[in-house]
Amino acid sequence: MVLTVSKTEHRQNVERQIKEHQPRIRSFIKNRVPINEDAEDIAQDVFFQFVKTMDTTHNPIENISGWLFRVARNLIVNKSMKKKEESLPMESDTDDSGDIFATLFPQTDEADSPVNVFIRSLMWEELELALTDLPIEQREIFELTELEGLPVKEIAAATGVATNTLLSRKHYAVKFLRKRLKSTYEELINQ
């Protein structure tokens, strides 16, 4: 038996997904792109690609949230590289703290240097691989708090899992990820 979805139902599903994910994606982008107009352009591009993919592919996107965040991250990196490609510095402008997570989630204008953007894109790839090695409970809490920006209390209320349990899972996830990403990070900044 083949189930078919009408165009109207398909369009309503796409619109529902956009409404559901748009606030978190916009927040994710705005936290990483200092210029508001650039952040808005990237957000529009993310959802344009989403609609295009949903309309043209026969294989459904299994993890819509993950797909949207990955597209947003890639567009942020691409935009940063295009803006800075003429002025490549001769040496690295990496964060003085040497913190892996400061590289992944930069808070300064220096984060937009081409070298830092390149290092960050490689670190994101390594992070994605490392996340697959975490136990599912640890991976979920890390992704929800760090990638989607949800508060732990909100997650606890939605899942029924105690806040302390979630914080413990996140602690172990961060500890594992720091250890796992440390050598890659050191190789990249010491080149």
Side-chain angles (χ1 to χ4, degrees):
M1 173 188 259
V2 175
L3 295 175
T4 58
V5 177
S6 73
K7 285 184 179 184
T8 304
E9 290 172 321
H10 173 74
R11 181 60 56 196
Q12 289 172 341
N13 180 44
V14 170
E15 288 174 6
R16 183 179 53 77
Q17 294 293 341
I18 290 171
K19 279 184 182 176
E20 179 182 330
H21 293 93
Q22 195 171 37
R24 289 189 310 224
I25 296 295
R26 283 185 184 277
S27 175
F28 175 82
I29 294 167
K30 286 184 179 186
N31 286 335
R32 287 155 182 79
V33 178
I35 300 170
N36 197 34
E37 292 80 17
D38 290 345
E40 286 300 318
D41 288 346
I42 291 170
Q44 285 181 352
D45 288 346
V46 168
F47 289 103
F48 174 77
Q49 286 188 24
F50 174 69
V51 170
K52 190 169 107 178
T53 301
M54 292 293 286
D55 287 347
T56 59
T57 187
H58 297 292
N59 300 327
I61 299 170
E62 290 184 27
N63 180 355
I64 292 173
S65 181
W67 187 92
L68 289 168
F69 279 102
R70 190 168 30 258
V71 170
R73 189 195 78 235
N74 290 343
L75 288 171
I76 291 167
V77 169
N78 291 346
K79 185 134 189 123
S80 295
M81 289 177 76
K82 283 180 188 175
K83 276 188 152 191
K84 302 283 184 164
E85 66 187 3
E86 299 99 32
S87 60
L88 263 173
M90 296 309 287
E91 56 187 74
S92 174
D93 293 333
T94 57
D95 188 300
D96 291 332
S97 71
D99 185 19
I100 296 164
F101 292 103
T103 300
L104 292 170
F105 306 105
Q107 302 295 318
T108 66
D109 292 337
E110 293 175 0
D112 290 337
S113 77
V115 172
N116 287 339
V117 169
F118 177 71
I119 289 172
R120 193 164 50 249
S121 71
L122 294 176
M123 289 301 295
W124 272 102
E125 289 175 17
E126 288 298 314
L127 175 64
E128 286 179 9
L129 290 172
L131 284 171
T132 63
D133 291 339
L134 280 172
I136 187 92
E137 299 88 7
Q138 292 177 18
R139 183 176 74 230
E140 285 176 349
I141 188 64
F142 181 85
E143 289 176 342
L144 289 171
T145 57
E146 295 300 321
L147 302 181
E148 296 187 29
L150 297 174
V152 175
K153 287 183 180 181
E154 188 178 307
I155 298 166
T159 62
V161 178
T163 302
N164 287 341
T165 301
L166 293 175
L167 289 172
S168 176
R169 289 175 182 171
K170 182 178 176 184
H171 169 77
Y172 286 114
V174 169
K175 188 175 175 180
F176 170 82
L177 293 170
R178 280 186 195 276
K179 184 177 179 182
R180 172 82 181 267
L181 299 174
K182 184 178 180 181
S183 63
T184 303
Y185 176 76
E186 288 174 350
E187 285 176 27
L188 290 171
I189 65 167
N190 292 323
Q191 286 185 351

